[in-house]
Amino acid sequence: MSGGLDERDKRGYAVWVSEVMLQQTRVSTVIDYFKRWMNKWPTLHHLAQASLEEVNEMWAGLGYYRRVRFLLQGAKEVVEGGGRFPETVSDLRKIKGIGEYTAGAIASIAFRKAVPVVDGNVVRVISRLKTISANPKDAATVKSFWKLAGQLVDPCRPGDFNQALMELGATLCSLSNPGCAACPISAQCHVLSLSGENELVHVTDYPTKVVKAKQRHEFSAVSVVEILNCQETMGPQSSSKYILVKRPNKGLLAGLWEFPSVLLEKEADLTSRRKAVDNYLQSSFNLDLKESTRIVSRENIGECVHVFSHIRLKMYVELLVLHAKGNRSIDYKKQGKESITWKYVDNENLGNMGLTSGVRKVYTMVQKHKQTEQSTIPGRRRKTAVRR
DNA sequence: AAATCGGGGAT
DNA sequence: ATCCCAGATTT
């Protein structure tokens, strides 16, 4: 292994970051995120100084945000431990967020340990190579894949071998249209030879498909609250700002920012949605919307569906424009009883900051709505009346 | 063993 | 629309 300690740490860190980003995420998606990340935090020591808020924003849009929380936690642990960067699978496995795959990837790619990796690509290649029809998610079957991969790995160049195997699974040995004719190991592929003898056998039947749980449906009322003319915090020239709320530190999208929203029991009509939103804004922001003088406009923007692994969320979006100073009793800065965390963000910063994909979708909807409204009524300012 | 936890690209 | 991806942790 060439290079000093510093060089070694750098290699381990870069592979660690990239492999965590690559968990359940395609290479093409990761590339830009990886560049931005390494530019901001070039070494493990830089990362260890970062805050959760910072890494969350850098990660925004990548998904599975638990990954970045563990990555930051792990960086702090390694730096505070003062020890060398862990090199072996067993030491790497002790770090939160590093499972069997990531440990194998770092050990083999960064430190030339002769250990295997098993990801979705490797499962596909091996299940075809060996005609394995067992459920690939089954614990015992997973174990057998690791064993087989361990027998295959080239001890001289384990990192290159592992990456080549995954690359093969991602390209030639693809899900639905494998290029067996061009495959360098087609001669050793058992299922390919079987398919030549038996028309009922198809390469694409491997690995065996597993049935997945259906997504549950959820509904939420999203209120994009725009405050006009906020001179106190933004200076005399500013136009408006929006309220963003921080999600709870556990669960879905933990600790990430979103527009004020309430989860609905079920699909709801406009009236009940607004009732829920009003109640929420009243209790959490001390915003009394019964004072109609505060409301400049309140428009229904439309629906927006956002899909997670296990949830299909339909968001009903409205744009609620408020006067900054309508009534002295309004105190936007006062936090509600439920001690939620929130902040103001102006239009420019909202467009530039890291947002989750769902929030970005909603924001784009609102922008488009505003443009359409302006262009369809030239020279006139439309004002939607609000009557309660 | 099953559920949780994002998002997007391919089909 | 469905599948699933350079997965890991919690329940």
Side-chain angles (χ1 to χ4, degrees):
Chain A
M1 195 96 282
S2 60
L5 274 184
D6 194 49
E7 192 67 25
R8 199 188 64 95
D9 279 18
K10 254 183 197 167
R11 216 168 41 238
Y13 171 66
V15 176
W16 185 7
V17 173
S18 64
E19 290 302 337
V20 171
M21 285 185 174
L22 285 163
Q23 291 169 7
Q24 296 291 287
T25 310
R26 287 167 206 287
V27 177
S28 55
T29 305
V30 163
I31 291 173
D32 285 341
Y33 281 91
F34 181 74
K35 285 180 183 170
R36 284 194 297 269
W37 183 284
M38 296 306 283
N39 192 42
K40 179 148 186 171
W41 300 295
T43 73
L44 190 67
H45 295 266
H46 289 90
L47 176 59
Q49 299 302 312
S51 68
L52 178 58
E53 192 68 26
E54 285 178 297
V55 296
N56 266 345
E57 183 171 354
M58 186 66 83
W59 205 267
L62 257 188
Y64 284 150
Y65 298 91
R66 184 167 53 181
R67 293 183 290 175
V68 77
R69 197 168 61 248
F70 290 157
L71 186 54
L72 176 61
Q73 183 184 327
K76 288 178 189 290
E77 281 172 11
V78 173
V79 167
E80 284 165 13
R84 290 160 55 100
F85 195 100
E87 284 193 5
T88 65
V89 168
S90 65
D91 282 345
L92 287 161
R93 278 295 270 111
K94 293 172 187 165
I95 298 173
K96 192 91 110 178
I98 298 187
E100 274 305 309
Y101 166 78
T102 308
I106 297 174
S108 64
I109 296 170
F111 305 122
R112 291 207 181 195
K113 304 291 184 188
V115 294
V117 295
V118 173
D119 71 337
N121 293 307
V122 175
V123 166
R124 185 161 51 250
V125 173
I126 292 183
S127 66
R128 289 173 179 175
L129 209 55
K130 309 287 185 185
T131 317
I132 297 172
S133 50
N135 179 352
K137 296 293 183 186
D138 177 76
T141 314
V142 169
K143 206 168 179 179
S144 71
F145 278 117
W146 278 94
K147 189 174 179 182
L148 289 167
Q151 293 166 359
L152 290 174
V153 64
D154 179 357
C156 297
R157 299 171 64 186
D160 287 341
F161 176 88
N162 285 336
Q163 293 182 83
L165 194 58
M166 292 188 283
E167 181 74 6
L168 180 64
T171 55
L172 276 179
C173 199
S174 62
L175 184 65
S176 59
N177 191 23
C180 300
C183 181
I185 59 171
S186 60
Q188 289 95 280
C189 186
H190 187 252
V191 78
L192 181 61
S193 67
L194 270 187
S195 68
E197 303 160 7
N198 186 338
E199 288 186 2
L200 295 178
V201 177
H202 304 101
V203 171
T204 50
D205 289 337
Y206 295 81
T208 304
K209 270 77 177 173
V210 290
V211 288
K212 286 185 179 169
K214 270 180 64 182
Q215 292 143 339
R216 66 173 181 269
H217 290 219
E218 289 189 354
F219 309 90
S220 72
V222 180
S223 193
V224 180
V225 181
E226 180 179 6
I227 317 280
L228 295 178
N229 264 336
C230 301
Q231 295 169 351
E232 29 177 314
T233 55
M234 300 172 63
Q237 301 183 1
S238 65
S239 54
S240 65
K241 58 190 182 184
Y242 298 85
I243 293 178
L244 285 187
V245 180
K246 195 181 176 79
R247 290 178 61 88
N249 289 320
K250 290 192 173 188
L252 189 68
L253 306 169
L256 293 160
W257 296 96
E258 65 181 6
F259 293 114
S261 59
V262 284
L263 214 50
L264 305 168
E265 292 292 320
K266 52 184 172 65
E267 273 188 288
D269 60 21
L270 184 61
T271 306
S272 42
R273 269 153 30 206
R274 285 193 171 164
K275 192 175 174 185
V277 165
D278 290 358
N279 182 46
Y280 170 72
L281 292 176
Q282 168 74 63
S283 63
S284 299
F285 294 91
N286 204 26
L287 274 178
D288 187 1
L289 297 182
K290 289 182 187 116
E291 281 294 336
S292 60
T293 54
R294 293 168 199 170
I295 301 176
V296 176
S297 67
R298 186 172 205 179
E299 297 172 87
N300 196 27
I301 304 296
E303 299 170 3
C304 179
V305 174
H306 190 64
V307 178
F308 302 94
S309 321
H310 54 310
I311 299 168
R312 182 183 181 280
L313 175 66
K314 184 191 273 188
M315 296 179 282
Y316 299 98
V317 183
E318 72 164 358
L319 174 60
L320 178 57
V321 183
L322 302 177
H323 283 299
K325 296 181 178 177
N327 184 314
R328 288 190 66 216
S329 72
I330 301 176
D331 182 5
Y332 298 115
K333 287 178 179 169
K334 183 176 177 183
Q335 305 262 140
K337 307 163 197 164
E338 297 168 21
S339 85
I340 60 164
T341 306
W342 58 279
K343 64 180 178 181
Y344 291 126
V345 179
D346 63 46
N347 197 60
E348 190 182 350
N349 286 323
L350 197 52
N352 294 334
M353 71 180 283
L355 296 171
T356 67
S357 294
V359 174
R360 187 157 293 285
K361 274 185 195 171
V362 169
Y363 180 61
T364 303
M365 277 180 76
V366 171
Q367 295 294 98
K368 275 189 179 166
H369 175 85
K370 288 190 173 187
Q371 284 174 13
T372 307
E373 195 175 58
Q374 290 224 328
S375 60
T376 51
I377 311 171
R380 210 153 43 109
R381 184 151 185 92
R382 176 190 222 164
K383 192 159 180 177
T384 303
V386 177
R387 287 292 161 257
R388 297 179 44 89

